[in-house]
Amino acid sequence: MTTELTCFTAYDVRGRLGSQLDTGIAYRIGRAYGEYLKPRRVVVGGDIRQTSESLKLALAEGLMDAGVDVLDIGLVGTEEIYFATKYLEFDGGIEVTASHNPIDYNGLKFVREESRPISGDTGLFAIKELAERQPWQDPSHEQVTKGVYSQGSTLAAYVDHLLGYIDLSLLQPTKLVVNSGNGVAGHVVDALEKIFEERGVPVQFVKVHHQADGSFPNGIPNPLLPECRQATSSMVKSTGATMGIAWDGDFDRCFLFDENGSFVDGYYVVGLLAEAFLQKSAGEKIIYDPRLTWNTEEVVASCGGQAILCKTGHAFIKERMRREDAVYGGEMSAHHYFRDFAYCDSGMIPWLLVLELLSVKRVKLSEMVAARIAAFPSSGEINSKLAQPKESIERVLERYKGQAVASDYTDGISLSFAEPMGQWRFSLRSSNTEPVVRLNVESRGDRALMELKTAEVLAVLREERG
């Protein structure tokens, strides 16, 4: 009888160690990946979690038994796998990581040739089915020559690629607080620091929780949570730094702090990065998600770009970027995608671009962000756990749709309003994995209106029905 593997999600593998994921399951997933995609060469790597190395080696064994040659590039972030797959012209890449999930979890992130994503409807569920069925256990299953395992590094080429996004000669004297959260960002920061020193770039790094440590003595790195921001914020203030940067465990997301130690919401970072690219090359296309939009749209229009709305989620953003040949795509959740990075997300490219932008404009980060927040104050994403999410969303739609001057259903519902008291909009969407509804509200230049309407929509959404 086939046992279902519950560690598969729509986009990756993520599971509790022991009950949902172990070395046996990792082997089966590697074998299934090889059987389904039939790649010749696959690059693998892993984060610092204490089980990542054993899971990675089991995964590699499964790949090799499917006839795949495996290159292990060691302790790396997810984006280093994206880079290596494209740079080496391999047929796929797999990172062992649980990112910001609890310490008793681990997982896998997959790409295929050219670092194209693999999601449920593009092969991941087929891999799941093979891993559950294990057809290779049948004596009549086709035998293949076992693949070869080797080790290597693409760090130097990866760092060189990162530096291609900016002009080091433009950088002004700067002090940066960098918080790796005891994840795997530290070795990349060290490599960048060495190059800066060699080339006389006046950037000083102040390192917080820098050493990779799979026990996570300072907590799981997830700077989206307010309780995970204090160390970075305090160090920025105490050292007089220009900017703070913190990463999650596999550093595919970075989070910025201004010179006052204040956290910069990801929505406004999308606008900063759009401006950074459009200053270099006007007319480019920028992809953005529907949750909060007005700031991004105005920045892109004022810089001579073309803003293109896309459904939230990395598979949708990457696919739309390829179709449009967009230079950049951004989500308010701190995922930032780049055409020249195989349309993949990176947690290193964003802060480099913002650093260059601050140097070119000769302004403080707080000044740049404050102007955008004043123009388009927003609620940030508010989650509501509801017994009947669908019915709750319908209730809100029924209450507001007649008053809306514009509506959009790209991802959930987005309604815009022009009332005597001002202009505002909201976005409402359901989680794919839990009974949670996510609300975002913004206004044009009126914080009080945004706060009033946020409370109003939430009251309708959370209304108890007997």
Side-chain angles (χ1 to χ4, degrees):
M1 188 176 85
T2 301
T3 303
E4 182 182 6
L5 295 177
T6 58
C7 55
F8 279 81
T9 75
Y11 301 112
D12 56 24
V13 163
R14 199 177 313 150
R16 189 183 297 274
L17 293 163
S19 59
Q20 294 179 300
L21 184 61
D22 57 24
T23 53
I25 292 172
Y27 171 89
R28 289 160 61 184
I29 294 171
R31 185 72 184 262
Y33 180 103
E35 298 270 344
Y36 177 72
L37 290 174
K38 298 188 175 0
R40 292 184 303 109
R41 299 178 299 171
V42 169
V43 59
V44 301
D47 69 11
I48 193 58
R49 287 178 183 253
Q50 294 171 339
T51 56
S52 290
E53 183 68 14
S54 59
L55 290 172
K56 180 185 66 179
L57 293 176
L59 171 80
E61 195 68 24
L63 287 164
M64 290 187 292
D65 282 351
V68 181
D69 290 341
V70 175
L71 174 65
D72 183 350
I73 59 171
L75 187 67
V76 294
T78 299
E79 69 184 67
E80 291 181 82
I81 290 293
Y82 297 157
F83 173 80
T85 302
K86 179 74 184 297
Y87 175 73
L88 298 171
E89 299 182 349
F90 271 33
D91 306 303
I94 307 174
E95 167 82 351
V96 180
T97 181
S99 186
H100 57 276
N101 280 269
I103 200 163
D104 58 339
Y105 276 69
N106 215 324
L108 304 166
K109 293 183 179 180
F110 309 88
V111 289
R112 55 192 305 161
E113 73 282 350
E114 297 184 344
S115 292
R116 291 177 179 268
I118 302 174
S119 54
D121 57 356
T122 57
L124 190 58
F125 290 156
I127 292 170
K128 173 180 183 285
E129 188 274 332
L130 280 173
E132 290 169 343
R133 193 162 50 86
Q134 303 182 77
W136 50 86
Q137 290 188 334
D138 189 321
S140 65
H141 189 73
E142 179 186 0
Q143 299 298 306
V144 296
T145 302
K146 184 166 183 170
V148 176
Y149 174 86
S150 61
Q151 295 177 313
S153 173
T154 54
L155 178 62
Y158 162 69
V159 170
D160 186 59
H161 179 85
L162 294 179
L163 293 176
Y165 289 87
I166 61 171
D167 183 344
L168 293 180
S169 69
L170 297 176
L171 299 186
Q172 297 296 309
T174 305
K175 182 185 292 183
L176 300 177
V177 168
V178 289
N179 186 346
S180 300
N182 302 116
V184 290
H187 73 284
V188 179
V189 172
D190 290 342
L192 288 167
E193 180 183 43
K194 182 180 179 184
I195 291 176
F196 283 11
E197 289 173 350
E198 291 171 351
R199 300 186 187 178
V201 180
V203 175
Q204 176 187 351
F205 292 91
V206 179
K207 300 171 183 177
V208 179
H209 305 159
H210 189 67
Q211 295 303 316
D213 185 340
S215 69
F216 295 115
N218 298 290
I220 300 295
N222 182 13
L224 263 184
L225 302 177
E227 59 267 27
C228 294
R229 301 173 187 167
Q230 188 58 47
T232 310
S233 176
S234 296
M235 188 62 76
V236 168
K237 289 185 280 189
S238 66
T239 60
T242 308
M243 181 170 68
I245 306 141
W247 292 273
D248 62 1
D250 63 336
F251 73 86
D252 63 345
R253 296 179 300 158
C254 74
F255 303 85
L256 303 182
F257 297 74
D258 68 21
E259 76 283 355
N260 300 313
S262 299
F263 183 78
V264 180
D265 192 279
Y267 173 36
Y268 303 103
V269 176
V270 174
L272 292 175
L273 295 176
E275 180 180 355
F277 275 110
L278 292 170
Q279 281 199 348
K280 296 171 186 283
S281 179
E284 294 279 9
K285 295 177 181 178
I286 305 294
I287 306 295
Y288 65 109
D289 76 289
R291 287 173 285 186
L292 293 167
T293 64
W294 280 347
N295 179 66
T296 305
E297 290 166 351
E298 181 173 282
V299 169
V300 172
S302 67
C303 293
Q306 182 179 344
I308 298 173
L309 193 66
C310 178
K311 187 173 182 178
T312 303
H314 82 99
F316 301 112
I317 299 271
K318 291 173 180 177
E319 179 186 359
R320 190 64 184 273
M321 285 183 69
R322 287 180 187 272
R323 192 160 78 237
E324 301 286 351
D325 193 33
V327 69
Y328 163 68
E331 295 182 278
M332 57 171 282
S333 55
H335 285 288
H336 303 284
Y337 308 84
F338 304 92
R339 179 175 63 202
D340 292 341
F341 199 64
Y343 300 96
C344 291
D345 40 331
S346 166
M348 286 293 165
I349 299 169
W351 68 266
L352 288 166
L353 286 166
V354 172
L355 175 62
E356 182 187 53
L357 188 64
L358 294 177
S359 293
V360 169
K361 298 189 76 166
R362 303 291 181 98
V363 295
K364 295 178 179 178
L365 182 54
S366 65
E367 295 168 351
M368 288 185 67
V369 174
R372 305 318 306 168
I373 293 174
F376 301 101
S378 63
S379 63
E381 192 155 85
I382 301 169
N383 294 326
S384 300
K385 193 167 187 177
L386 303 169
Q388 297 179 309
K390 185 177 179 182
E391 290 81 354
S392 298
I393 291 174
E394 286 295 329
R395 185 165 63 246
V396 173
L397 186 60
E398 184 65 29
R399 165 72 170 78
Y400 286 101
K401 66 180 179 181
Q403 308 163 38
V405 296
S407 59
D408 183 86
Y409 300 90
T410 300
D411 194 1
I413 61 172
S414 296
L415 301 180
S416 300
F417 306 86
E419 300 180 354
M421 63 173 60
Q423 296 181 47
W424 67 286
R425 66 178 292 277
F426 74 82
S427 168
L428 207 55
R429 55 190 286 271
S430 288
S431 166
N432 293 323
T433 57
E434 52 186 339
V436 168
V437 175
R438 311 190 194 282
L439 172 69
N440 287 277
V441 182
E442 63 184 323
S443 72
R444 293 191 185 272
D446 191 333
R447 175 166 289 278
L449 174 64
M450 179 274 293
E451 292 174 346
L452 174 69
K453 293 301 182 180
T454 300
E456 187 181 282
V457 176
L458 277 175
V460 177
L461 180 67
R462 295 171 175 175
E463 180 182 320
E464 294 287 344
R465 292 291 174 97

